[in-house]
């Protein structure tokens, strides 16, 4: 019943088509063998009763296969994943329901064997027995790495009531399981560690909201418990949450480099997404920064070097609103949704835009360089806050584009992940010459160590483990 999978260029397993013709089972072949033996004995002994037994044993499997051809069973399999969005290290339950019908619409009961295609990182394929029309069968997966994983398709083995012949049927399309990166806990650093630009080193990020600019409101379902203002709750006799004055909220612009030229390391797969170890480190670090800062009343504007907001939740990018109209700001209430969106990011070439003459790559005269797209986003959203760039082996030309795109910002810090320990990307010197604080780390470094090094004045190339 197993298919022979092959890996495609997109990381998915290419399944060979299932031959849906009815075939004899092991029991059916045993009946045929016994029938042939009885036929020889009937010829030798001249016994009609042995001949009748031979006809029965040989005809039963043939009749079973013919019945499957005539009845033409149809199977509908529904797959549900709970939850559909998980964090790396957490478990999800996959449930399979089967409806078994004949060509004339009749319902068939009884258990059917299901071969479920499951990626190796999630435990490999499953063999399940599912009661048609009854309770669903379930299995558990526990992804260890973030990404998008494809569950299925499934193949159902339908047999006749006596188990003499069986037919394999494709019963389900793939279902996507989105796995968000696990956000590690980052250490506390002072607000001025994300350095200002060299033109005005005395400027620092806005301070944390103080007691004079904090207001409260009634607790609403879904509000994080860490925002509960206990003193106000005791005074009013009900739960009250902090609601800061937006003018006092700190802000940071997080820029994740998704340009594939910055990630030349050895390819690995995040589910069906092509990636590298360095890019996986960058995604995990970005998730940790989002979680850390939004919990501390900091609004993070999350976007990539192409000027696009980072994806949110489980929606496909094609189904979401156009990139130009989507908001970049992530607050405490939307941090989990933004972290789940990081399940889908991958290194990719610069985006292409459709023009009257066809499709042209970004960076041509038709739509301007990538740095211009980033600058347009900074201008449109009024992003003048400190910038934290997370990149890989950043080329010097790409670093210049980033500087051009973020020139409105008051601060510049960068964490660069290298594929070769001890090496320093060419873009590091370009950023430092512009007054940026740069930390260079290998993919083996701990994210919390890289965070602690920001603004320390040391590159830390190869020093973190």
């Amino acid at each position: 019943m197993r298919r022979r999978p092959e890996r495609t260029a997109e990381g998915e397993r290419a399944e060979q088509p299932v031959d849906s013709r009815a075939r004899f089972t092991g029991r059916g072949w045993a009946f045929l063998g016994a029938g042939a033996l009885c036929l020889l004995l009937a010829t030798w002994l001249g016994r009609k009763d042995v001949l009748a037994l031979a006809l029965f044993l040989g005809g039963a499997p043939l009749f079973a296969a013919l019945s499957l051809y005539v009845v033409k069973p149809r199977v509908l399999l529904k797959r549900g994943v709970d939850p559909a969005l998980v964090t790396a290290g957490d478990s999800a339950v996959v449930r399979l329901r089967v409806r078994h019908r004949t060509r004339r619409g009749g319902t068939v009961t009884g258990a059917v064997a299901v071969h479920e295609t499951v990626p190796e990182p999630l435990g490999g394929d499953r063999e399940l027995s599912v009661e048609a029309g009854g309770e669903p069968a379930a299995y558990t997966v526990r992804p260890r790495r973030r990404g998008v994983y494809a569950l299925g398709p499934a193949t159902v083995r339908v047999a006749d009531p006596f188990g003499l012949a069986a037919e394999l049927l494709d019963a389900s399309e793939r279902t996507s399981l989105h796995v968000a990166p696990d956000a590690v806990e980052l250490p506390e650093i002072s607000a001025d560690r994300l350095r200002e630009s060299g033109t005005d080193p005395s400027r620092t990020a806005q301070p944390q909201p103080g007691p004079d600019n904090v207001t409260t409101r009634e607790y609403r379902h879904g509000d994080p418990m860490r925002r509960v203002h206990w003193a106000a709750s005791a005074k009013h006799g009900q739960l009250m949450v902090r609601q800061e004055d937006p003018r006092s909220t700190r802000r940071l612009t997080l820029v994740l480099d998704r340009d594939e030229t910055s990630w030349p390391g050895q390819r690995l797969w995040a589910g069906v997404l092509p990636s590298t170890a360095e890019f996986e480190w960058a995604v995990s670090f970005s998730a940790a920064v989002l979680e850390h800062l939004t919990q501390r009343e900091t609004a993070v504007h999350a976007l990539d070097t192409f000027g696009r907001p980072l994806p949110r939740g489980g929606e496909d990018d094609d189904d979401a609103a156009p990139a130009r109209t989507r908001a970049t700001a992530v607050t405490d209430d939307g941090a989990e949704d933004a972290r789940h969106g990081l399940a889908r990011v991958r290194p990719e070439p610069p985006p292409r835009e459709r023009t009257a003459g066809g499709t042209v790559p970004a960076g041509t005269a038709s739509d301007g360089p990538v740095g211009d797209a980033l600058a347009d986003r900074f201008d449109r959203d009024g992003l003048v806050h400190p910038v934290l760039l997370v990149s890989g082996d950043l080329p010097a030309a790409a670093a210049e584009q980033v500087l051009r795109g973020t020139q409105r910002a008051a601060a510049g810090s960068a964490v660069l992940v290298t594929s070769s320990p001890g090496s320093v990307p060419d873009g590091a010197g370009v950023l430092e010459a512009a007054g940026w604080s740069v930390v260079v780390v290998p993919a083996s470094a701990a994210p919390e160590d890289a965070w602690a090094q920001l603004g320390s004045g040391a590159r830390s190339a190869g020093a973190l483990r």
Side-chain angles (χ1 to χ4, degrees), residues 176-192:
S176 294
L177 172 65
H178 291 209
V179 182
D182 187 20
V184 301
E185 186 174 352
L186 299 180
E188 298 289 344
I189 64 175
S190 59
D192 60 354

Side-chain angles (χ1 to χ4, degrees), residues 114-316:
V114 178
H115 175 80
E116 172 80 328
T117 304
V118 181
E120 288 299 332
L122 301 186
D125 295 353
R126 304 293 207 280
E127 301 285 348
L128 304 168
S129 178
V130 185
E131 190 71 24
E135 291 295 322
Y139 64 91
T140 302
V141 295
R142 189 183 297 274
R144 298 295 180 182
R145 179 184 296 168
R146 75 99 201 176
V148 178
Y149 294 86
L151 301 174
T155 303
V156 178
R157 181 177 180 270
V158 178
D160 70 283
F162 301 102
L164 301 178
E167 187 172 1
L168 301 182
L169 302 173
D170 280 328
S172 177
E173 299 295 334
R174 289 181 173 89
T175 300
S176 294
L177 172 65
H178 291 209
V179 182
D182 187 20
V184 301
E185 186 174 352
L186 299 180
E188 298 289 344
I189 64 175
S190 59
D192 60 354
R193 292 289 290 275
L194 297 179
R195 286 175 41 182
E196 297 292 336
S197 64
T199 58
D200 188 5
S202 64
R203 297 176 58 190
T204 59
Q206 297 182 24
Q208 287 278 16
D212 294 335
N213 51 33
V214 175
T215 60
T216 59
R217 59 171 172 80
E218 294 181 3
Y219 174 85
R220 301 170 187 165
H221 179 70
D223 285 335
M225 291 301 297
R226 58 179 171 267
R227 296 182 61 183
V228 173
H229 194 293
W230 296 109
S233 299
K235 179 179 179 180
H236 291 83
Q238 59 179 335
L239 283 180
M240 306 292 290
V241 296
R242 297 189 305 273
Q243 182 172 267
E244 283 78 17
D245 185 346
R247 295 172 297 178
S248 66
T249 302
R250 286 194 301 167
R251 295 183 181 273
L252 174 81
T253 302
L254 175 65
V255 181
L256 175 63
D257 191 353
R258 297 172 65 181
D259 192 333
E260 61 184 8
T261 59
S262 299
W263 309 101
Q266 184 177 1
R267 173 175 287 191
L268 56 81
W269 295 96
V272 300
L273 303 177
S275 185
T276 65
E278 296 74 30
F279 187 76
E280 291 304 300
W281 191 99
V283 173
S284 298
F285 181 75
S286 300
V289 171
L290 279 171
E291 190 78 7
H292 179 80
L293 293 181
T294 55
Q295 288 182 2
R296 287 153 182 80
E297 307 300 343
T298 300
V300 180
H301 294 264
L303 60 151
D304 60 22
T305 47
F306 304 134
R308 304 172 307 189
L310 294 182
R312 305 286 181 91
E315 296 181 357
D316 292 334

